[in-house]
Amino acid sequence: DGVIITDVEKRSSGERAGLQIGDVILKVDEKEINAPNDIIRVIDEGLHKVGDVVGSNFCTGDRKEAGKSRELSFVAVNRV
């Protein structure tokens, strides 16, 4: 389960938070993520606005196998 991160923009909040290519997003706002569109749906359903802080749960591939994950908050931004 989850969505694998395939790109992390330079100087982004994700990079500053330590996200890396290959990490897996498991949850956003306590809702399970199984496809990229799930992230957008959860943020939209939560009525988050640009600048809101949104909680998420992610892990690296080796941590997922061990059942260990980390919490991360990010700031919602405009989608392009």
Side-chain angles (χ1 to χ4, degrees):
D1 295 342
V3 173
I4 297 172
I5 296 173
T6 59
D7 187 37
V8 179
E9 291 185 27
K10 298 280 187 209
R11 295 179 296 281
S12 68
S13 58
E15 182 183 57
R16 286 190 295 275
L19 289 178
Q20 298 179 5
I21 293 171
D23 288 349
V24 180
I25 298 172
L26 301 170
K27 292 184 179 181
V28 173
D29 262 1
E30 300 300 319
K31 294 181 177 67
E32 289 189 17
I33 300 299
N34 295 304
N37 285 340
D38 289 347
I39 298 168
I40 294 167
R41 179 184 47 78
V42 168
I43 291 172
D44 287 348
E45 284 177 359
L47 302 176
H48 293 288
K49 299 178 187 86
V50 171
D52 285 352
V53 176
V54 181
S56 65
N57 184 276
F58 79 101
C59 65
T60 61
D62 59 339
R63 287 193 188 127
K64 186 175 183 184
E65 296 301 320
K68 297 177 184 175
S69 62
R70 297 192 314 180
E71 296 290 323
L72 170 71
S73 293
F74 63 91
V75 177
V77 297
N78 280 330
R79 292 191 303 266
V80 179

Coordinates of all heavy atoms in Angstrom, one line a residue:
D1 N 0.8 -1.2 0.0 CA 0.0 0.0 0.0 C 0.9 1.2 0.0 O 2.0 1.2 0.3 CB -0.9 0.0 1.2 CG -1.9 -1.1 1.2 OD1 -2.1 -1.7 0.1 OD2 -2.5 -1.4 2.3
G2 N 0.3 2.4 -0.3 CA 1.0 3.6 -0.4 C 1.4 4.0 -1.8 O 1.1 3.3 -2.7
V3 N 2.0 5.2 -1.9 CA 2.4 5.8 -3.1 C 3.9 6.1 -3.0 O 4.4 6.7 -2.1 CB 1.7 7.1 -3.5 CG1 2.2 7.7 -4.7 CG2 0.2 6.7 -3.6
I4 N 4.7 5.6 -4.0 CA 6.1 5.7 -4.0 C 6.5 7.1 -4.6 O 5.9 7.5 -5.6 CB 6.8 4.7 -4.9 CG1 6.6 3.3 -4.3 CG2 8.3 4.9 -5.0 CD1 7.1 2.1 -5.1
I5 N 7.3 7.8 -3.9 CA 7.8 9.2 -4.3 C 8.8 8.9 -5.4 O 9.8 8.2 -5.3 CB 8.4 9.9 -3.2 CG1 7.3 10.2 -2.1 CG2 9.1 11.2 -3.7 CD1 7.9 10.9 -0.8
T6 N 8.5 9.6 -6.6 CA 9.4 9.4 -7.8 C 10.2 10.6 -8.0 O 11.1 10.6 -8.9 CB 8.6 9.0 -9.0 OG1 7.7 10.1 -9.3 CG2 7.9 7.7 -8.8
D7 N 9.9 11.7 -7.4 CA 10.7 13.0 -7.6 C 10.5 13.9 -6.4 O 9.4 13.9 -5.8 CB 10.2 13.7 -8.8 CG 11.0 14.9 -9.2 OD1 12.2 14.9 -9.0 OD2 10.4 15.9 -9.6
V8 N 11.6 14.6 -6.0 CA 11.5 15.5 -4.9 C 12.2 16.8 -5.4 O 13.3 16.8 -5.8 CB 12.3 15.1 -3.6 CG1 12.2 16.1 -2.5 CG2 11.7 13.7 -3.1
E9 N 11.4 17.9 -5.5 CA 11.9 19.1 -6.1 C 13.0 19.7 -5.2 O 12.9 19.7 -3.9 CB 10.7 20.1 -6.2 CG 9.8 19.8 -7.3 CD 8.7 20.8 -7.5 OE1 9.0 22.0 -7.3 OE2 7.6 20.5 -8.0
K10 N 14.0 20.3 -5.8 CA 15.1 21.0 -5.1 C 14.5 22.1 -4.3 O 13.6 22.8 -4.8 CB 16.1 21.5 -6.0 CG 16.8 20.4 -6.8 CD 17.9 19.7 -5.9 CE 18.6 18.7 -6.8 NZ 19.2 17.6 -6.1
R11 N 15.0 22.3 -3.1 CA 14.6 23.4 -2.2 C 13.1 23.4 -1.8 O 12.5 24.4 -1.5 CB 15.0 24.8 -2.8 CG 16.5 24.9 -2.9 CD 16.9 26.2 -3.6 NE 16.5 26.4 -4.9 CZ 17.1 25.8 -6.0 NH1 18.2 25.1 -5.8 NH2 16.7 26.1 -7.2
S12 N 12.4 22.3 -2.0 CA 11.0 22.2 -1.6 C 10.9 21.8 -0.1 O 11.8 21.4 0.5 CB 10.3 21.1 -2.5 OG 10.8 19.8 -2.1
S13 N 9.7 22.0 0.4 CA 9.4 21.6 1.8 C 9.6 20.1 1.9 O 10.1 19.6 3.0 CB 8.0 22.0 2.2 OG 7.0 21.4 1.4
G14 N 9.3 19.3 0.9 CA 9.6 17.9 1.0 C 11.1 17.5 1.1 O 11.5 16.7 1.9
E15 N 11.9 18.2 0.4 CA 13.3 18.0 0.5 C 13.8 18.5 1.9 O 14.6 17.8 2.5 CB 14.1 18.8 -0.6 CG 15.6 18.6 -0.6 CD 16.3 19.4 -1.6 OE1 16.2 20.7 -1.5 OE2 17.0 18.8 -2.4
R16 N 13.3 19.6 2.3 CA 13.7 20.1 3.7 C 13.3 19.1 4.8 O 14.0 19.0 5.8 CB 13.2 21.5 3.9 CG 13.9 22.6 3.2 CD 13.5 24.0 3.6 NE 12.1 24.3 3.4 CZ 11.6 24.7 2.2 NH1 12.4 24.9 1.2 NH2 10.3 25.0 2.1
A17 N 12.2 18.4 4.5 CA 11.7 17.5 5.5 C 12.4 16.1 5.5 O 12.2 15.3 6.3 CB 10.2 17.2 5.3
G18 N 13.2 16.0 4.4 CA 14.0 14.7 4.3 C 13.4 13.7 3.4 O 13.9 12.5 3.4
L19 N 12.3 14.0 2.7 CA 11.8 13.0 1.8 C 12.8 12.7 0.7 O 13.5 13.6 0.2 CB 10.5 13.6 1.1 CG 9.3 13.6 2.0 CD1 8.1 14.2 1.3 CD2 8.9 12.3 2.6
Q20 N 12.8 11.5 0.3 CA 13.7 11.0 -0.8 C 13.0 10.2 -1.8 O 11.9 9.6 -1.5 CB 14.8 10.2 -0.2 CG 15.7 11.0 0.8 CD 16.8 10.1 1.4 OE1 17.0 9.0 1.0 NE2 17.5 10.7 2.3
I21 N 13.5 10.1 -3.0 CA 12.9 9.3 -4.0 C 13.0 7.8 -3.5 O 13.9 7.4 -2.9 CB 13.8 9.4 -5.4 CG1 13.6 10.8 -6.0 CG2 13.4 8.3 -6.3 CD1 14.5 11.1 -7.1
G22 N 11.8 7.2 -3.7 CA 11.7 5.8 -3.2 C 11.0 5.7 -1.8 O 10.5 4.6 -1.4
D23 N 10.8 6.8 -1.1 CA 10.0 6.8 0.1 C 8.6 6.5 -0.3 O 8.2 6.7 -1.4 CB 10.1 8.2 0.8 CG 11.4 8.4 1.5 OD1 12.2 7.4 1.6 OD2 11.7 9.5 2.0
V24 N 7.8 6.1 0.7 CA 6.4 5.7 0.4 C 5.5 6.5 1.3 O 5.6 6.5 2.5 CB 6.2 4.2 0.7 CG1 4.7 3.8 0.4 CG2 7.1 3.3 -0.2
I25 N 4.5 7.2 0.7 CA 3.5 8.0 1.4 C 2.4 7.0 1.8 O 1.8 6.4 0.9 CB 2.9 9.1 0.6 CG1 4.0 10.1 0.3 CG2 1.8 9.8 1.4 CD1 3.6 11.2 -0.6
L26 N 2.1 6.8 3.1 CA 1.1 5.8 3.5 C -0.2 6.4 3.9 O -1.2 5.9 3.6 CB 1.7 5.1 4.7 CG 3.0 4.3 4.5 CD1 3.5 3.8 5.9 CD2 2.8 3.1 3.6
K27 N -0.1 7.6 4.5 CA -1.4 8.3 5.0 C -1.2 9.8 4.9 O -0.2 10.3 5.0 CB -1.7 7.9 6.5 CG -2.0 6.5 6.7 CD -2.4 6.3 8.2 CE -2.8 4.9 8.5 NZ -3.2 4.7 9.9
V28 N -2.4 10.4 4.6 CA -2.5 11.9 4.7 C -3.7 12.2 5.4 O -4.8 11.6 5.1 CB -2.5 12.5 3.3 CG1 -2.8 14.0 3.3 CG2 -1.2 12.3 2.5
D29 N -3.7 13.0 6.4 CA -4.8 13.3 7.3 C -5.4 12.0 7.9 O -6.6 11.9 7.9 CB -5.9 14.1 6.6 CG -5.8 15.6 6.8 OD1 -4.9 16.0 7.6 OD2 -6.6 16.3 6.3
E30 N -4.6 11.1 8.3 CA -5.0 9.8 8.8 C -5.8 8.9 7.9 O -6.4 7.9 8.3 CB -5.8 10.0 10.1 CG -5.1 10.8 11.2 CD -3.8 10.0 11.7 OE1 -3.9 8.8 11.8 OE2 -2.8 10.7 11.9
K31 N -5.8 9.2 6.6 CA -6.5 8.4 5.6 C -5.5 7.7 4.7 O -4.5 8.3 4.3 CB -7.4 9.3 4.7 CG -8.6 9.9 5.5 CD -9.5 10.7 4.6 CE -10.6 11.3 5.4 NZ -10.3 12.2 6.4
E32 N -5.7 6.4 4.5 CA -4.7 5.6 3.7 C -4.6 6.1 2.3 O -5.6 6.5 1.7 CB -5.1 4.1 3.8 CG -4.9 3.5 5.1 CD -5.1 2.0 5.1 OE1 -5.1 1.4 4.0 OE2 -5.3 1.5 6.2
I33 N -3.4 6.0 1.8 CA -3.1 6.5 0.4 C -2.7 5.2 -0.4 O -1.8 4.5 0.0 CB -2.0 7.5 0.4 CG1 -2.4 8.8 1.2 CG2 -1.6 7.9 -1.0 CD1 -3.6 9.5 0.8
N34 N -3.4 5.0 -1.5 CA -3.1 3.9 -2.4 C -2.8 4.3 -3.8 O -2.4 3.5 -4.6 CB -4.2 2.9 -2.3 CG -4.4 2.3 -1.0 OD1 -3.4 1.7 -0.4 ND2 -5.6 2.4 -0.4
A35 N -3.1 5.5 -4.2 CA -2.9 6.0 -5.5 C -2.6 7.5 -5.4 O -3.0 8.2 -4.5 CB -4.1 5.8 -6.4
P36 N -1.8 8.1 -6.4 CA -1.5 9.5 -6.3 C -2.7 10.4 -6.2 O -2.7 11.4 -5.4 CB -0.8 9.8 -7.6 CG -0.1 8.4 -8.0 CD -1.2 7.4 -7.5
N37 N -3.8 10.1 -6.9 CA -5.0 10.9 -6.8 C -5.6 10.9 -5.4 O -6.4 11.8 -5.0 CB -6.1 10.5 -7.8 CG -5.7 10.9 -9.2 OD1 -4.9 11.9 -9.4 ND2 -6.2 10.3 -10.2
D38 N -5.3 9.9 -4.6 CA -5.8 9.8 -3.2 C -5.3 11.0 -2.4 O -6.1 11.5 -1.5 CB -5.4 8.5 -2.5 CG -6.1 7.3 -3.0 OD1 -7.1 7.4 -3.7 OD2 -5.6 6.2 -2.7
I39 N -4.1 11.4 -2.6 CA -3.5 12.6 -1.9 C -4.4 13.8 -2.2 O -4.7 14.6 -1.3 CB -2.1 12.8 -2.3 CG1 -1.3 11.5 -1.9 CG2 -1.5 14.0 -1.6 CD1 0.1 11.5 -2.4
I40 N -4.6 14.1 -3.5 CA -5.4 15.3 -3.8 C -6.8 15.2 -3.3 O -7.3 16.1 -2.7 CB -5.4 15.4 -5.4 CG1 -4.0 15.7 -5.9 CG2 -6.4 16.5 -5.8 CD1 -3.9 15.5 -7.4
R41 N -7.4 14.0 -3.3 CA -8.8 13.8 -2.8 C -8.8 14.1 -1.3 O -9.7 14.8 -0.9 CB -9.3 12.4 -3.1 CG -10.7 12.1 -2.6 CD -11.1 10.6 -2.8 NE -10.0 9.7 -2.4 CZ -9.8 9.3 -1.1 NH1 -10.4 9.9 -0.1 NH2 -8.9 8.4 -0.9
V42 N -7.9 13.6 -0.6 CA -7.9 13.8 0.9 C -7.7 15.2 1.2 O -8.4 15.8 2.1 CB -6.8 12.9 1.5 CG1 -6.6 13.3 3.0 CG2 -7.2 11.4 1.4
I43 N -6.8 15.9 0.5 CA -6.6 17.3 0.8 C -7.9 18.1 0.4 O -8.3 19.0 1.2 CB -5.4 17.9 0.1 CG1 -4.1 17.2 0.7 CG2 -5.3 19.4 0.1 CD1 -2.9 17.5 -0.1
D44 N -8.5 17.8 -0.7 CA -9.7 18.5 -1.1 C -10.9 18.2 -0.2 O -11.6 19.1 0.2 CB -10.1 18.1 -2.5 CG -9.2 18.8 -3.6 OD1 -8.4 19.7 -3.2 OD2 -9.3 18.4 -4.7
E45 N -11.0 16.9 0.3 CA -12.1 16.6 1.2 C -12.0 17.3 2.5 O -12.9 17.6 3.2 CB -12.2 15.1 1.4 CG -12.8 14.3 0.2 CD -12.7 12.8 0.5 OE1 -12.2 12.3 1.5 OE2 -13.2 12.1 -0.4
G46 N -10.7 17.4 2.9 CA -10.4 18.1 4.2 C -10.6 19.6 4.1 O -10.4 20.3 5.1
L47 N -10.9 20.1 3.0 CA -11.1 21.5 2.7 C -9.9 22.3 3.1 O -10.0 23.4 3.7 CB -12.4 22.0 3.5 CG -13.7 21.3 3.1 CD1 -14.8 21.8 4.0 CD2 -14.0 21.5 1.6
H48 N -8.7 21.8 2.8 CA -7.5 22.5 3.1 C -7.3 23.6 2.1 O -7.6 23.4 0.9 CB -6.3 21.5 3.1 CG -6.3 20.5 4.2 ND1 -6.1 20.9 5.5 CD2 -6.6 19.2 4.2 CE1 -6.2 19.8 6.3 NE2 -6.5 18.8 5.5
K49 N -6.8 24.7 2.6 CA -6.5 25.8 1.8 C -5.0 25.9 1.6 O -4.2 25.4 2.4 CB -7.0 27.1 2.4 CG -8.5 27.1 2.6 CD -9.0 28.4 3.3 CE -10.4 28.4 3.6 NZ -10.7 27.7 4.9
V50 N -4.5 26.7 0.6 CA -3.1 27.0 0.5 C -2.6 27.5 1.8 O -3.2 28.4 2.3 CB -2.9 27.9 -0.7 CG1 -1.4 28.4 -0.8 CG2 -3.3 27.3 -2.0
G51 N -1.5 27.0 2.2 CA -0.9 27.4 3.5 C -1.2 26.6 4.7 O -0.6 26.7 5.7
D52 N -2.3 25.8 4.6 CA -2.7 24.9 5.7 C -1.6 23.8 5.9 O -1.0 23.4 4.9 CB -4.0 24.2 5.4 CG -5.2 25.1 5.6 OD1 -5.0 26.2 6.0 OD2 -6.3 24.6 5.2
V53 N -1.4 23.5 7.2 CA -0.4 22.4 7.5 C -1.2 21.1 7.5 O -2.2 21.0 8.2 CB 0.3 22.6 8.8 CG1 1.2 21.5 9.2 CG2 1.1 23.9 8.8
V54 N -0.7 20.1 6.7 CA -1.4 18.8 6.6 C -0.5 17.7 7.1 O 0.7 17.7 6.8 CB -1.8 18.6 5.1 CG1 -2.5 17.2 5.0 CG2 -2.6 19.7 4.5
G55 N -1.0 16.9 8.0 CA -0.2 15.8 8.5 C -0.2 14.6 7.6 O -1.1 14.3 6.8
S56 N 0.9 13.9 7.6 CA 1.0 12.7 6.7 C 1.9 11.6 7.4 O 2.6 11.9 8.4 CB 1.6 13.0 5.4 OG 2.9 13.5 5.5
N57 N 2.0 10.5 6.9 CA 2.8 9.4 7.4 C 3.5 8.7 6.3 O 2.9 8.4 5.2 CB 1.8 8.4 8.1 CG 2.5 7.2 8.8 OD1 2.8 6.3 8.1 ND2 2.7 7.3 10.1
F58 N 4.8 8.5 6.4 CA 5.6 8.0 5.3 C 6.7 7.1 5.8 O 7.0 7.1 7.0 CB 6.1 9.1 4.4 CG 7.4 9.7 4.9 CD1 8.6 9.4 4.4 CD2 7.3 10.7 5.9 CE1 9.8 9.9 4.9 CE2 8.4 11.3 6.4 CZ 9.7 10.9 5.9
C59 N 7.2 6.3 4.9 CA 8.4 5.5 5.3 C 9.3 5.3 4.1 O 8.9 5.5 3.0 CB 7.9 4.1 5.8 SG 7.0 3.1 4.6
T60 N 10.5 4.9 4.4 CA 11.4 4.4 3.4 C 11.1 3.0 3.1 O 10.5 2.3 3.9 CB 12.9 4.6 3.7 OG1 13.1 3.9 4.9 CG2 13.2 6.1 4.0
G61 N 11.6 2.4 2.0 CA 11.3 1.1 1.7 C 11.7 0.1 2.7 O 10.9 -0.8 3.1
D62 N 12.9 0.3 3.3 CA 13.3 -0.7 4.4 C 12.5 -0.5 5.6 O 12.3 -1.4 6.4 CB 14.8 -0.5 4.6 CG 15.2 0.9 5.1 OD1 14.5 1.8 4.8 OD2 16.3 1.0 5.6
R63 N 12.1 0.7 5.9 CA 11.3 0.9 7.2 C 9.9 0.3 7.0 O 9.3 -0.2 7.9 CB 11.1 2.4 7.5 CG 12.4 3.0 8.0 CD 12.1 4.4 8.6 NE 13.3 5.0 8.9 CZ 13.6 6.2 8.5 NH1 12.8 6.9 7.8 NH2 14.8 6.7 8.9
K64 N 9.3 0.3 5.8 CA 8.0 -0.3 5.5 C 8.1 -1.8 5.9 O 7.2 -2.3 6.5 CB 7.5 -0.1 4.1 CG 6.1 -0.5 3.9 CD 5.7 -0.2 2.5 CE 4.2 -0.6 2.3 NZ 3.7 -0.4 1.0
E65 N 9.1 -2.4 5.4 CA 9.3 -3.8 5.7 C 9.3 -4.1 7.2 O 8.8 -5.1 7.7 CB 10.6 -4.4 5.1 CG 10.5 -4.3 3.5 CD 9.4 -5.1 2.9 OE1 9.1 -6.2 3.4 OE2 8.8 -4.5 1.9
A66 N 9.9 -3.2 7.9 CA 10.0 -3.4 9.4 C 8.8 -2.8 10.1 O 8.7 -2.9 11.3 CB 11.3 -2.7 9.9
G67 N 7.8 -2.3 9.4 CA 6.6 -1.7 10.0 C 6.9 -0.4 10.7 O 6.1 0.0 11.5
K68 N 8.0 0.3 10.4 CA 8.3 1.6 11.0 C 8.0 2.7 10.0 O 8.4 2.6 8.8 CB 9.7 1.6 11.4 CG 10.1 0.6 12.5 CD 11.5 0.7 12.8 CE 11.9 -0.4 13.8 NZ 13.3 -0.5 14.1
S69 N 7.4 3.8 10.5 CA 7.1 4.9 9.6 C 7.4 6.2 10.4 O 7.5 6.2 11.6 CB 5.7 4.9 9.0 OG 4.8 5.0 10.1
R70 N 7.4 7.3 9.7 CA 7.6 8.6 10.3 C 6.4 9.5 10.0 O 5.8 9.4 9.0 CB 8.9 9.3 9.8 CG 10.1 8.5 10.1 CD 11.4 9.3 9.9 NE 11.4 10.0 8.6 CZ 12.4 10.7 8.2 NH1 13.5 10.8 9.0 NH2 12.4 11.3 7.1
E71 N 6.2 10.5 10.9 CA 5.2 11.5 10.7 C 5.8 12.7 10.0 O 7.0 13.0 10.2 CB 4.6 12.0 12.1 CG 3.9 10.9 12.8 CD 2.5 10.5 12.2 OE1 1.9 11.4 11.6 OE2 2.2 9.3 12.2
L72 N 5.1 13.4 9.2 CA 5.6 14.5 8.5 C 4.4 15.5 8.3 O 3.3 15.0 7.9 CB 6.2 14.1 7.1 CG 6.5 15.3 6.2 CD1 7.7 16.0 6.7 CD2 6.7 14.7 4.8
S73 N 4.6 16.7 8.5 CA 3.6 17.7 8.2 C 4.1 18.5 7.0 O 5.3 18.8 6.9 CB 3.3 18.7 9.3 OG 2.7 17.9 10.4
F74 N 3.2 18.9 6.1 CA 3.6 19.7 4.9 C 2.5 20.8 4.8 O 1.4 20.8 5.3 CB 3.7 18.9 3.7 CG 2.4 18.2 3.2 CD1 1.6 18.8 2.3 CD2 2.1 16.9 3.6 CE1 0.4 18.2 1.9 CE2 0.9 16.3 3.2 CZ 0.1 17.0 2.3
V75 N 2.9 21.8 4.0 CA 2.1 23.0 3.8 C 1.4 22.8 2.4 O 2.1 22.5 1.4 CB 2.9 24.3 3.8 CG1 2.0 25.5 3.5 CG2 3.5 24.5 5.2
A76 N 0.1 22.9 2.4 CA -0.7 22.8 1.1 C -0.3 23.9 0.2 O -0.2 25.1 0.6 CB -2.2 22.7 1.4
V77 N -0.1 23.6 -1.1 CA 0.2 24.7 -2.1 C -0.7 24.5 -3.3 O -1.4 23.5 -3.4 CB 1.7 24.5 -2.5 CG1 2.6 24.8 -1.4 CG2 2.0 23.2 -3.2
N78 N -0.7 25.5 -4.1 CA -1.5 25.5 -5.4 C -1.0 24.3 -6.2 O 0.2 24.1 -6.4 CB -1.4 26.8 -6.2 CG -2.3 27.8 -5.6 OD1 -3.4 27.6 -5.1 ND2 -1.9 29.1 -5.8
R79 N -2.0 23.6 -6.8 CA -1.6 22.6 -7.8 C -1.5 23.3 -9.2 O -2.2 24.2 -9.5 CB -2.7 21.5 -7.9 CG -2.8 20.7 -6.7 CD -3.7 19.5 -6.9 NE -5.0 19.8 -7.3 CZ -6.0 19.9 -6.5 NH1 -5.9 19.8 -5.2 NH2 -7.2 20.2 -7.0
V80 N -0.5 22.8 -9.9 CA -0.3 23.4 -11.3 C -1.0 22.5 -12.3 O -1.1 21.4 -12.2 CB 1.2 23.4 -11.6 CG1 1.5 24.0 -13.0 CG2 1.9 24.2 -10.5

